[in-house]
Amino acid sequence: MESFSLIIIFLAFFCITNSWAARFEPHLLESNDDFIKTSCEVTRYPDLCYQVLSPYASTIQDDHTQLANAALNVTLQTAESTSNMVLNLLKAHNQMPKEAGAIRDCVENMKDSVDELQQSLVAMKDLEGPDFEMKMSNIQTWVSAALTDEDTCMDGFEGNAMNGKVKETIRSYIERVSQLTSNALALINKLVN
């Protein structure tokens, strides 16, 4: 319990210090912002990358590991909420059998994607040591697999036999997760290089 209290105190101090630094030294915030913008140029969706990561500029600063970690965190949060949304659509019970099958498959794919992104985040917490390359290789594999799962989910909604509204809703959510995953993978690849 004591260590938890110390962590809370440290986090509060860190937030206050960062807030104070941004108020009295705005060039630090601009520098961190520029770092994110420049780093996002290696991604397939640089505008989205910058949009979702710039709110974390004071935490990321100019650290490539923090940048990749933040990208993975945002991607995981979005994947989890999208997975829940798809699951709720499956429970709605008003789909045709083919639609229900595609949604059920998508739920499984998104569950796998979330698991792989979680594994990646756990591995990102411990990159120190001589096995850095192996850990990074595992992270790249898991994030690539998550991207494949998301693409597989979208493939299930191809064709005209499905309700257009349901299909477009799911595809738009999965597409955003896929774009975030792609961006996270690009930032991880940059970290490896």
Side-chain angles (χ1 to χ4, degrees):
M1 187 69 177
E2 248 180 69
S3 63
F4 180 73
S5 297
L6 287 173
I7 291 171
I8 296 297
I9 291 168
F10 173 76
L11 287 174
F13 176 76
F14 180 76
C15 291
I16 290 168
T17 303
N18 278 347
S19 173
W20 178 82
R23 202 171 303 135
F24 294 104
E25 297 183 52
H27 67 281
L28 292 178
L29 202 55
E30 289 172 18
S31 172
N32 296 341
D33 206 48
D34 289 342
F35 170 75
I36 293 170
K37 185 169 265 199
T38 302
S39 297
C40 283
E41 289 174 5
V42 302
T43 68
R44 287 185 71 189
Y45 310 98
D47 293 339
L48 177 62
C49 177
Y50 177 73
Q51 173 195 346
V52 300
L53 295 178
S54 61
Y56 305 99
S58 63
T59 303
I60 294 168
Q61 297 180 4
D62 62 354
D63 185 327
H64 288 283
T65 303
Q66 287 296 332
L67 182 71
N69 200 38
L72 271 175
N73 266 306
V74 168
T75 302
L76 176 61
Q77 290 169 8
T78 307
E80 287 173 333
S81 65
T82 298
S83 181
N84 289 333
M85 182 274 301
V86 174
L87 183 60
N88 288 336
L89 279 174
L90 179 62
K91 293 177 180 177
H93 299 300
N94 57 351
Q95 292 92 22
M96 302 297 287
K98 185 174 180 178
E99 241 176 12
I103 295 172
R104 201 172 5 263
D105 290 345
C106 187
V107 166
E108 286 304 311
N109 285 316
M110 287 307 299
K111 181 181 176 294
D112 291 343
S113 176
V114 166
D115 289 344
E116 290 147 356
L117 292 168
Q118 287 172 335
Q119 287 177 299
S120 300
L121 272 172
V122 169
M124 284 289 289
K125 291 179 181 172
D126 183 32
L127 293 177
E128 305 276 325
D131 52 352
F132 173 81
E133 282 95 18
M134 185 185 74
K135 290 176 184 177
M136 289 308 298
S137 176
N138 288 341
I139 293 168
Q140 288 171 306
T141 300
W142 288 319
V143 177
S144 294
L147 189 57
T148 300
D149 289 328
E150 294 152 11
D151 289 343
T152 302
C153 172
M154 281 197 288
D155 289 346
F157 297 98
E158 293 293 325
N160 299 325
M162 304 187 77
N163 176 317
K165 185 177 178 184
V166 170
K167 177 171 79 171
E168 289 311 309
T169 299
I170 292 175
R171 282 185 63 86
S172 67
Y173 277 92
I174 301 297
E175 186 175 326
R176 182 169 175 88
V177 175
S178 181
Q179 290 171 351
L180 290 171
T181 306
S182 171
N183 284 351
L185 182 58
L187 295 172
I188 289 164
N189 290 341
K190 185 176 180 180
L191 182 61
V192 172
N193 296 331

